[in-house]
């Protein structure tokens, strides 16, 4: 029996591709699926499977090759995926990277996964920015550190990685974008399938979005039709899912109306569908000229252009980076951006010069023979061998037991069921009887401001969740209605029959509203919600100079700081921040002693918000004394509220803690743990001391049973939190304040983990955004 020939890839027993995967509709999914199929075909003895990223809770109906799914916003699932990889005897992970497909700030969650695996990593970069913002640059540089090889699909990308991101050249591998292996065919062969027999066919394909510049091609059509009345322009592709979620089919409709107004609607065919490979090849085969009229140069690769050239299409394109490289040496023609006249001129010239058009087709087709998936798969396999050989020298054994003492514990999943249950079309109800909303106490502005914070923070993790967007509008609408224009203050309490019970609420409720609106401005991605938040935020500022409550001042300061993350150059808000911070400091300096570093003679409720506000203000005002007092008072709160067994034991509301007296042990409220977590995370950012983060996780465990009574307050079955610890046990009512305190605590730690690979963006970097303020307020 003949001995089987040894494969040069035999050391690669298992490859896992991590990225989007079909049937999810996007270019990354198509690329990952095609690459997996090609590798499996070229190396039949290698097991090839995939980890797929989900952008919706229900996921997708994946093929058997997908063995693990990750919800992009659920950080815990990245932890589980890392453990799964480490235990699965994987030789190489091939990551498909695009910022938008991973959760966390700028897709930072994927860094957590890569830090936890002990397997060689080859990362394919689908986007590389020439002038990257600081966060995107840091993400890519950490990807480079954690990857054994970086694969790019253009020579320009090699230069960017070397010159902008300081990646060693030996770590960079150029492998072209893969394409299907199709014959060089006469376009007339396929035209009858699309009702275009005897026509001159121009084609654009890909997911439809405004950046594609198709309006310029439609504007060029009258000049083309005048010379070639038998021309038809086919626009092939479904609307991009992200665009459809935000704008519906507005862009497609705008294009259709534009064609009608120009009198060329009979020459334009829209195929609104995501086509499979066989259909796509037939469309490409029917095209006489392929056009990519994109609006910006900042595209480092393009699967659509690669496919078109590989099918032997004559191509006219705007000069984005990838097109400049691919269409060099007369493989296509470049026209300026936003120039319909130039598009028409080049297309007409190609139609009139058939010999040149066919020569261009052949040059493109022959150049792309190196890009067929068979050749690309072989280059990836060669890269995997190198990555494994060199990666084994630097990596620890694949399986590493993660004990309770290693790193920070896994966080519970975010469950918003009880939040939804407590919310009706007016807002969130204040109280509950056990788990059932209690209508008799109605609503309050305090809780709706907290609920607004929850939903905008949660959208950082679940950016496409329509329910979160709807809830955000509900809570924002409540705050808008709560604002009394005559007094310049927020009302607080509203009965269940929607009657306000007061004309002016407490200073605390006003401060919490400013806080909630500031966070909404910082995080909101919805233009309408952002406009309302900015407008209402500014209307609420007038009352802040006269408030005297230290907690109301602290809430307001936290809100002002959040707002300034978005509009760092807003002079009025910056001045108001300094005024309030100095006022808070004056209160402290008049009362603080070595053994009582506190702002009052009594420690009461929501205490850590005060040092939190001072830590923020001291940092941005560059006031070391302010920062020092903030940290000192937080350290003191930590000390007095830590039981001798090491768990959190907050000041009880049945007597509080008077200077010179004994601290009340009960009733303990969830709001205290929430305030401490926020303050500790802020302290960790400014001090770079990870012990604050460790303590924040201990504070979260207070909800989970690490407390005086060893009883859990968080209810996993409902997603709600019980109202507090009493001497005899847990208060089993799951009201709004307690549930929102739990959710803010959990979201703060989720978002901190997601942004842990990033440094805080300085306020100075946001000053350039200040010109947005006036237009947003007016809008």
């Amino acid at each position: 029996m003949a001995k089987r020939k040894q494969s040069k890839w035999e050391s690669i027993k298992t490859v896992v591709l991590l990225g989007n995967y079909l049937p999810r509709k996007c270019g990354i999914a198509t690329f990952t699926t095609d690459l997996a199929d090609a590798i499996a075909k070229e190396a039949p003895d290698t097991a090839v499977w995939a980890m797929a990223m989900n952008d919706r809770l229900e996921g997708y109906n994946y093929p058997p090759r997908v063995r693990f799914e990750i919800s992009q916003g659920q950080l815990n699932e990245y932890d589980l995926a890392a453990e799964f990889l480490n235990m699965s005897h994987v030789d190489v992970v091939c990551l498909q990277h695009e910022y938008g497909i991973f959760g966390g700030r700028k897709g930072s969650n994927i860094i957590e996964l890569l830090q936890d695996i002990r397997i060689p990593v080859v990362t394919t970069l689908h986007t590389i920015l020439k002038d990257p913002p600081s966060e995107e640059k840091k993400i890519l540089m950490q990807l480079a550190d954690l990857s054994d090889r970086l694969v790019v699909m253009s020579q320009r990308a090699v230069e960017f990685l070397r010159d902008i991101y300081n990646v060693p050249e030996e770590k960079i591998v150029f492998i072209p974008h893969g394409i299907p292996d199709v014959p060089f065919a006469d376009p007339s062969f396929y035209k009858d399938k699309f009702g275009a027999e005897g026509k001159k066919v121009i084609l654009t394909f890909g997911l439809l979005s405004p950046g594609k510049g198709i309006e310029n091609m439609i504007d060029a059509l009258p000049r083309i039709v005048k010379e070639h009345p038998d021309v038809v322009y086919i626009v092939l592709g479904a609307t991009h899912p992200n665009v459809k979620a935000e704008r519906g089919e507005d862009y497609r409709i705008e294009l259709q109306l534009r064609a009608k107004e120009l009198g060329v609607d009979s020459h334009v065919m829209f195929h609104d569908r995501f086509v499979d490979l066989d259909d796509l090849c037939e469309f490409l085969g029917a095209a006489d000229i392929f056009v990519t009229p994109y609006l910006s140069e900042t595209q480092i690769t393009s699967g659509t252009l690669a496919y078109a050239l590989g099918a032997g299409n004559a191509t006219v394109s705007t000069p984005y980076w990838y097109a400049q490289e691919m269409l060099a040496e007369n493989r296509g023609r470049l026209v300026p951006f936003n120039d319909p006249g130039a598009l028409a001129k080049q297309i007409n010239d190609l139609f009139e010069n058939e010999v040149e058009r066919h020569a261009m087709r052949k040059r493109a087709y022959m150049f792309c023979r190196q890009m067929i998936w068979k050749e690309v798969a072989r280059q990836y396999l060669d890269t995997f061998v190198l990555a494994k050989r060199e990666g084994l020298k630097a990596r620890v054994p694949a399986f590493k037991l993660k004990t309770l003492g290693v790193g920070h514990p896994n966080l519970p999943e975010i469950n918003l069921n009880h939040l939804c249950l407590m919310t009706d079309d007016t807002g969130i109800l204040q109280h509950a009887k056990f788990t059932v909303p209690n209508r008799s106490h109605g609503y309050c502005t305090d809780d709706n401001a907290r609920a607004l914070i929850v939903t905008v923070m949660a959208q950082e993790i679940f950016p496409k969740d329509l329910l979160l967007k709807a809830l955000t509008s509900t809570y924002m609408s409540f705050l808008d209605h709560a604002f009394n224009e005559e007094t310049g203050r927020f009302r607080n309490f509203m009965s269940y029959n929607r009657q306000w019970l007061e004309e002016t609420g407490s200073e605390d409720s006003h401060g919490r509203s400013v806080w909630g609106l500031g966070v909404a401005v910082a995080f909101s991605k919805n233009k309408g919600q952002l406009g309302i938040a900015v407008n209402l935020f500014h209307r609420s500022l007038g009352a802040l100079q006269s408030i005297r409550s230290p907690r109301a001042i602290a809430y307001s300061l936290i809100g002002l700081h959040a707002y300034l993350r978005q509009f760092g150059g807003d002079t009025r808000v910056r001045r108001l921040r300094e005024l309030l911070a100095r006022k808070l400091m004056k209160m402290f300096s008049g009362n603080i002693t070595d053994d009582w570093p506190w702002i009052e003679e009594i420690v009461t409720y929501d205490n850590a918000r005060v040092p939190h506000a001072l830590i923020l203000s001291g940092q941005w005002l560059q006031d070391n004394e302010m920062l020092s007092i903030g940290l000192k008072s937080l350290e003191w709160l930590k000390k007095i509220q830590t039981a001798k067994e090491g768990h959190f034991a907050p000041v009880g509301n049945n007597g509080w803690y008077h200077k010179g007296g004994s601290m009340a042990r009960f009733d303990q409220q969830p709001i205290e743990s929430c305030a401490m977590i926020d303050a500790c995370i802020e302290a960790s950012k400014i001090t770079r001391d990870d012990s604050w983060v460790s303590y924040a996780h201990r504070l979260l465990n207070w909800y989970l049973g690490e407390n005086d009574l060893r009883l859990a307050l968080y209810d996993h079955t409902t997603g709600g939190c019980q109202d507090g610890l009493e001497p005899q046990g847990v208060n089993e009512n799951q009201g709004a304040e307690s549930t929102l305190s739990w959710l803010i605590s959990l979201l703060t730690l989720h978002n901190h983990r997601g942004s842990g690979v990033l440094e805080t963006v300085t306020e100075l970097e946001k000053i350039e955004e200040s010109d947005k303020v006036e237009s947003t307020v007016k809008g």
Side-chain angles (χ1 to χ4, degrees), residues 115-151:
Q115 287 173 335
D116 287 343
I117 63 174
R118 301 294 179 262
I119 303 163
V121 175
V122 173
T123 297
T124 304
L125 298 173
H126 292 263
T127 293
I128 305 173
L129 303 175
K130 181 181 179 182
D131 300 300
S134 61
E135 293 188 341
E136 284 87 343
K137 184 174 183 180
K138 181 167 285 295
I139 289 288
L140 197 146
M141 292 177 74
Q142 292 219 354
L143 273 174
D145 288 342
L146 293 165
S147 300
D148 297 274
R149 288 291 187 278
L150 294 177
V151 175

Side-chain angles (χ1 to χ4, degrees), residues 4-79:
R4 186 171 181 175
K5 186 178 179 180
Q6 191 177 44
S7 168
K8 64 177 178 177
W9 305 310
E10 66 174 4
S11 64
I12 307 299
K13 306 294 185 186
T14 302
V15 173
V16 176
L17 284 90
L18 199 167
N20 295 351
Y21 209 90
L22 293 176
R24 182 171 172 178
K25 296 178 179 179
C26 73
I28 303 290
T30 301
F31 183 95
T32 309
T33 305
D34 288 346
L35 179 58
D37 290 344
I39 292 170
K41 188 173 182 180
E42 286 305 301
D45 293 333
T46 298
V48 181
W49 53 274
M51 280 187 161
M53 301 303 305
N54 286 332
D55 62 345
R56 61 187 192 186
L57 293 176
E58 65 271 26
Y60 297 87
N61 185 24
Y62 292 115
R65 179 163 281 149
V66 174
R67 290 180 52 189
F68 199 98
E69 300 174 39
I70 305 172
S71 296
Q72 66 180 47
Q74 290 284 12
L75 195 53
N76 280 356
E77 296 191 18
Y78 292 81
D79 294 333

Side-chain angles (χ1 to χ4, degrees), residues 507-508 548-555 584 587 599-600 610:
E507 288 187 351
D508 281 7
R548 296 186 298 273
S549 161
R551 284 161 187 78
I553 294 172
Y555 301 145
L584 201 60
M587 292 179 181
I599 198 167
E600 300 168 308
V610 176

Side-chain angles (χ1 to χ4, degrees), residues 12 19 56 93 209 211 230 278 293 303 379 432 436 468 482-483 535 607 627 648 671 688 698 749 751 769:
I12 307 299
R56 61 187 192 186
V93 171
S209 64
D230 56 346
D278 291 339
Q379 292 182 64
V436 178
L468 283 172
F483 189 73
N535 184 279
N607 297 298
L627 178 60
F648 182 58
I671 193 175
R688 307 295 186 189
R698 192 186 308 176
L749 289 174
N751 284 336
E769 300 294 322

Side-chain angles (χ1 to χ4, degrees), residues 26 95 166 185 240 263-264 331 411 413 437 547 595 604 607 775:
C26 73
L95 171 68
N166 300 317
H240 195 290
V264 294
R331 291 187 292 269
L411 297 170
E413 289 190 3
I547 61 175
D595 61 344
T604 56
N607 297 298
S775 61

Side-chain angles (χ1 to χ4, degrees), residues 745-756:
S745 299
L746 185 61
L747 286 163
T748 296
L749 289 174
H750 268 281
N751 284 336
H752 175 72
R753 280 195 61 189
S755 63

Side-chain angles (χ1 to χ4, degrees), residues 521 527-528 530-541 563 567 570 572-573 770-779:
V521 171
K527 186 177 180 181
L530 177 61
I532 288 289
V534 171
N535 184 279
L536 186 54
F537 180 87
H538 276 266
R539 285 153 58 201
S540 70
L541 296 180
Y563 170 90
F567 298 116
D570 190 324
R572 180 191 179 194
V573 176
S770 61
D771 60 338
K772 297 180 185 177
V773 178
E774 185 175 351
S775 61
T776 307
V777 174
K778 288 180 178 177

Side-chain angles (χ1 to χ4, degrees), residues 86-222:
N86 284 334
M87 293 187 291
S88 296
H89 305 290
V90 175
D91 292 294
V92 175
V93 171
C94 184
L95 171 68
Q96 305 305 309
H97 183 262
E98 172 70 66
Y99 291 102
I101 70 174
F102 303 108
R105 284 170 58 190
K106 311 303 180 185
S108 59
N109 284 358
I110 191 61
I111 300 297
E112 294 259 347
L113 184 151
L114 295 181
Q115 287 173 335
D116 287 343
I117 63 174
R118 301 294 179 262
I119 303 163
V121 175
V122 173
T123 297
T124 304
L125 298 173
H126 292 263
T127 293
I128 305 173
L129 303 175
K130 181 181 179 182
D131 300 300
S134 61
E135 293 188 341
E136 284 87 343
K137 184 174 183 180
K138 181 167 285 295
I139 289 288
L140 197 146
M141 292 177 74
Q142 292 219 354
L143 273 174
D145 288 342
L146 293 165
S147 300
D148 297 274
R149 288 291 187 278
L150 294 177
V151 175
V152 295
M153 292 172 272
S154 68
Q155 294 299 334
R156 181 76 62 94
V158 174
E159 296 170 10
F160 284 2
L161 287 182
R162 183 190 63 220
D163 300 338
I164 300 170
Y165 297 90
N166 300 317
V167 178
E169 196 152 1
E170 61 270 17
K171 207 170 197 178
I172 306 168
V173 181
F174 167 74
I175 302 178
H177 194 296
I179 59 171
D181 189 2
V182 297
F184 187 74
D186 186 335
S188 300
F189 183 78
Y190 292 104
K191 289 182 180 180
D192 60 327
K193 294 191 175 186
F194 308 110
E197 191 172 5
K199 305 261 187 198
K200 295 183 176 74
V201 175
I202 305 169
L203 174 68
T204 294
F205 86 89
L207 292 172
L208 206 61
S209 64
K212 296 298 175 70
I214 294 169
E215 62 273 16
N216 287 322
M217 183 58 219
I218 289 176
D219 287 348
L221 272 180

